Amino acid sequence: MNLTSVRSRLLISASICFLFLLTFSSSTSATIQYQVLLEHPEKHLFHVTMTIPDVTSEVIVRMPAWNTLYQIRDFSSHVGQVEAFADEQKAFIEKVDKQTWRIKGTGTVKISYSTYWDEAGPFASQLNDEHAFINPAMILFYAPARREEEVELAVSFSSATWSAASALSHTALVNGRNHEDTFKAPNYEALADSPIEIGKIDVFELRDVTPPVTVVIHGDNWRKKVVEENLRRICKYELKLMDGAPFEHYTFIIHFGRGAGGGGMEHANSTAIGAYSDEYLANVAAHEFFHLWNVKRIRPATLYPVDDTKEQYTRALWFAEGVTNSYASYTLVRSGIWSKEQFYADLGDQITELEGRPANRWQSAEQSSLDAWLEKYPLYNQPEFSVSYYTKGQVLGNLLDILIRDRTGNGKSLDDVMRAMNTNFAKQGKMYRDSLDVRLTAESVVGGSFEEFFAKYVAGTEPFPYQQILALAGLALRTTEHHKPALGFSMEHEPNGPFVVNSVDSESPAALAGLRAGDVIVSWAGGEAPRRIDHWLQEQSAGDLLRLRVRREDKELTIEFRLGEIKETLYQVVEDPRAGEKARNIREGMLRGETSLPVAH
């Protein structure tokens, strides 16, 4: 893999560029080609032409229904102006279903269309006057019968300051303000799994990291020294932990700033991350980089091969995502980015979140994984209806690690399970059978059964024995009662759109004041609604007056009410000063990522 930045672009004349394009088109006739034009980026329209050679009679093309999130999002709803040509003559085209088209023709078939995207964040695509971010699966058709053929994507844009970056091998041609970057991939899957950033970007490589890791940043509110050092520590630790790299070249694509979105999305040789500032980067980056192994190569059989036409159900996300969260926190404390107090605080926060959701009493880690496809519905995300497989899985990962260390006298750990999964599945090109193979691998590492643990706490919903297991690592769990203000309603919004109330607690002051689901919030306390409601609530008190201006049908109303109050139990993980030597060794082993052979007596 290589990444070409604007600093290394070759300036060429228009005649040479034209000659190259003629050569390109004739020498790659057996390759499926895409041309994407970024004209008038302020209109947010990607203009796409797909060229399919060697068609006989007809060809079917399709747009994925989902990608990057376990949500059916119907990317075809963004598509318009679809036309088809066969050997330069207009061809018959019909839409078969919401994501599929049939084109009749022979020879070289071209399909042209536009697709609208202006959504920030790593789980979407965006084109505006600041940059273009492309998740290829969201903007490109594919031919289902020809997914394994080589593909090339040429992106054209006009800007003196923009350049392109991706983990894909690519070449860049520049003629004044006119750019064309051509990306090559062995098949559609590899192309779909490789996001592309185009804009005014900063590009640098991490020092002392092998194989090379490139960092691509768009936006502001970040410090290069902090970003570079944190990413360097994360990469070096996780590469050491997993006995080397599964890549030749890796790329971080990072969006910083108020409009950057949030979170991260893993890819085979890269990640895309959105963060308000560099303060929020390390935890996300540690999680996404560990996905290089867990998910992208240590793969649950239920998720592969990918079927992007419908939901793909798995019971393994507690491990694929939740235990990856465990390793994000382990990476941060073991690399020195976090103190041990921060590690304990994070684990306590996860337990607080988990135990504060009534659904924890009936939704298992496996069922939470299976129900991931319901996360796009606001009601499902409320505490009474679901728990997060990220949260439950992270806590399970820590508890399982302690049990493995205890049973082996700190001679083995969850690290050995991850390395064994990598050796026995990823490196063999095999998929694992959800929780079953995780359990069997842990049992092979320990030399004993974990059947009861998995039955009770992974597949079942019995309360986690926190105190009992944490004590094995010289840790204890304390609880405190905390009162905090409550809105009494929830809301959501489309990117760059207004907030809309989606549910109101029937007994809350908001409900009594007349607020209803479906109300569009025009103003909040005389200004804009806060983008991070949780942060806003931290600065308020129960009983504070909130004035909302809402639009309901064709009227605007003013609704006033006082914030309610809820009581929650906070959990804190602390060190037990009375812990014995074995427990202290296990605790230090967790924090440092070390094991030691048990002392013979």
Side-chain angles (χ1 to χ4, degrees):
M1 300 290 180
N2 72 325
L3 182 147
T4 307
S5 72
V6 68
R7 300 177 184 84
S8 62
R9 292 178 182 272
L10 180 65
L11 296 175
I12 61 174
S13 68
S15 59
I16 296 176
C17 178
F18 179 71
L19 179 61
F20 172 86
L21 292 175
L22 288 177
T23 304
F24 167 83
S25 61
S26 61
S27 64
T28 59
S29 58
T31 300
I32 293 176
Q33 300 174 16
Y34 300 91
Q35 176 77 41
V36 176
L37 301 179
L38 308 183
E39 296 178 325
H40 304 292
E42 73 281 358
K43 295 183 178 180
H44 318 299
L45 285 172
F46 294 93
H47 296 278
V48 183
T49 300
M50 179 185 187
T51 302
I52 308 173
D54 305 326
V55 174
T56 302
S57 181
E58 70 174 29
V59 65
I60 300 293
V61 296
R62 180 177 293 149
M63 179 70 82
W66 68 275
N67 182 266
T68 71
L69 292 173
Y70 298 112
Q71 295 179 9
I72 298 297
R73 292 190 284 164
D74 292 325
F75 304 132
S76 60
S77 65
H78 292 242
V79 171
Q81 302 174 313
V82 184
E83 292 184 304
F85 301 86
D87 285 338
E88 307 304 326
Q89 300 297 314
K90 197 156 188 177
F92 172 83
I93 181 171
E94 65 174 344
K95 195 168 187 180
V96 178
D97 57 38
K98 65 179 180 179
Q99 62 202 50
T100 309
W101 288 258
R102 176 188 290 112
I103 301 99
K104 292 185 178 181
T106 296
T108 298
V109 169
K110 293 185 178 182
I111 304 101
S112 66
Y113 58 93
S114 62
T115 181
Y116 181 101
W117 280 99
D118 186 27
E119 295 183 19
F123 314 110
S125 292
Q126 186 169 44
L127 176 61
N128 58 30
D129 54 10
E130 293 185 0
H131 78 140
F133 176 67
I134 299 172
N135 269 307
M138 297 178 187
I139 73 166
L140 301 180
F141 287 171
Y142 68 90
R146 301 177 63 169
R147 287 173 71 106
E148 298 305 314
E149 297 182 22
E150 290 186 355
V151 292
E152 292 188 354
L153 167 62
V155 184
S156 301
F157 54 95
S158 297
S159 172
T161 60
W162 284 17
S163 56
S166 174
L168 288 171
S169 172
H170 87 279
T171 56
L173 296 174
V174 182
N175 181 26
R177 293 175 56 88
N178 298 318
H179 297 241
E180 180 165 278
D181 288 74
T182 302
F183 302 85
K184 297 183 179 182
N187 51 51
Y188 173 81
E189 301 292 350
L191 177 62
D193 198 30
S194 302
I196 299 166
E197 173 66 22
I198 300 171
K200 187 176 181 180
I201 54 179
D202 290 278
V203 182
F204 57 89
E205 286 198 1
L206 299 180
R207 57 185 176 84
D208 301 328
V209 178
T210 305
V213 173
T214 300
V215 182
V216 178
I217 298 179
H218 174 265
D220 50 23
N221 206 19
W222 63 283
R223 298 160 293 177
K224 182 178 179 181
K225 184 176 181 180
V226 172
V227 170
E228 186 172 18
E229 180 61 18
N230 284 349
L231 292 182
R232 186 184 70 84
R233 290 190 182 196
I234 288 166
C235 294
K236 288 181 73 69
Y237 173 73
E238 292 186 3
L239 288 168
K240 179 181 178 182
L241 171 72
M242 297 303 290
D243 295 329
F247 60 86
E248 296 180 6
H249 195 130
Y250 187 84
T251 303
F252 284 94
I253 297 176
I254 304 171
H255 299 142
F256 281 122
R258 185 175 298 276
M265 182 61 214
E266 72 276 1
H267 299 278
N269 296 294
S270 63
T271 183
I273 294 174
Y276 175 69
S277 71
D278 56 39
E279 178 184 355
Y280 301 96
L281 176 64
N283 201 354
V284 180
H287 177 101
E288 301 306 329
F289 195 71
F290 195 73
H291 270 318
L292 270 170
W293 297 274
N294 200 20
V295 170
K296 298 310 295 184
R297 288 163 178 88
I298 303 173
R299 298 175 170 184
T302 42
L303 286 180
Y304 294 91
V306 171
D307 184 349
D308 55 26
T309 66
K310 61 184 180 181
E311 294 90 343
Q312 201 160 355
Y313 296 102
T314 179
R315 298 181 187 274
L317 294 182
W318 72 269
F319 181 77
E321 294 289 355
V323 173
T324 297
N325 255 8
S326 304
Y327 274 93
S329 62
Y330 277 155
T331 294
L332 296 181
V333 70
R334 294 171 182 177
S335 66
I337 296 174
W338 275 2
S339 66
K340 65 179 181 179
E341 288 77 18
Q342 287 173 294
F343 175 82
Y344 297 150
D346 178 70
L347 181 54
D349 288 345
Q350 304 309 313
I351 296 172
T352 296
E353 163 66 17
L354 187 60
E355 295 301 319
R357 299 184 77 88
N360 186 44
R361 295 192 290 269
W362 58 264
Q363 189 180 49
S364 69
E366 287 190 338
Q367 185 180 334
S368 176
S369 302
L370 197 69
D371 288 342
W373 298 91
L374 300 176
E375 290 176 343
K376 68 178 182 179
Y377 300 110
L379 183 66
Y380 174 79
N381 289 303
Q382 293 185 22
E384 295 79 12
F385 291 91
S386 68
V387 296
S388 168
Y389 48 82
Y390 285 89
T391 306
K392 204 159 191 172
Q394 178 176 344
V395 176
L396 280 168
N398 291 132
L399 298 181
L400 185 59
D401 188 22
I402 293 171
L403 288 175
I404 294 171
R405 290 176 182 274
D406 178 70
R407 293 190 191 182
T408 61
N410 204 38
K412 298 290 184 179
S413 72
L414 189 61
D415 300 352
D416 295 287
V417 174
M418 296 307 307
R419 287 189 287 261
M421 294 283 286
N422 193 43
T423 298
N424 298 334
F425 294 97
K427 292 183 178 180
Q428 304 300 319
K430 295 168 56 179
M431 312 301 172
Y432 69 90
R433 296 167 295 177
D434 289 12
S435 300
L436 174 61
D437 279 325
V438 178
R439 175 173 67 82
L440 293 177
T441 304
E443 290 175 346
S444 69
V445 167
V446 170
S449 176
F450 274 107
E451 188 170 357
E452 182 181 8
F453 179 89
F454 275 70
K456 286 183 174 180
Y457 311 121
V458 177
T461 56
E462 293 199 21
F464 288 177
Y466 298 112
Q467 296 287 14
Q468 178 186 343
I469 296 179
L470 289 174
L472 300 175
L475 298 171
L477 194 64
R478 294 178 180 170
T479 60
T480 57
E481 297 295 328
H482 175 69
H483 294 264
K484 67 177 185 179
L487 279 178
F489 67 94
S490 62
M491 57 189 189
E492 62 181 347
H493 72 104
E494 294 293 329
N496 304 316
F499 279 98
V500 179
V501 176
N502 55 41
S503 66
V504 183
D505 299 340
S506 59
E507 302 298 323
S508 68
L512 297 176
L515 190 67
R516 298 180 188 174
D519 286 348
V520 177
I521 296 177
V522 178
S523 70
W524 180 292
E528 292 185 359
R531 295 284 151 173
R532 292 293 302 272
I533 298 298
D534 53 342
H535 288 179
W536 181 84
L537 279 171
Q538 290 174 6
E539 300 174 354
Q540 313 304 314
S541 300
D544 285 353
L545 184 68
L546 176 60
R547 179 183 292 108
L548 299 178
R549 186 73 175 169
V550 303
R551 185 170 63 251
R552 181 182 301 164
E553 297 176 350
D554 58 348
K555 298 179 181 180
E556 286 196 5
L557 308 170
T558 298
I559 297 177
E560 294 183 351
F561 58 92
R562 297 192 179 276
L563 297 178
E565 183 177 67
I566 57 175
K567 181 177 72 174
E568 66 175 356
T569 301
L570 300 180
Y571 291 82
Q572 294 177 299
V573 175
V574 297
E575 293 184 355
D576 181 359
R578 299 169 297 178
E581 181 180 3
K582 179 182 177 182
R584 294 197 305 272
N585 288 339
I586 290 174
R587 184 175 67 209
E588 290 303 307
M590 286 179 64
L591 294 171
R592 297 181 182 182
E594 298 172 352
T595 54
S596 56
L597 293 175
V599 178
H601 293 286

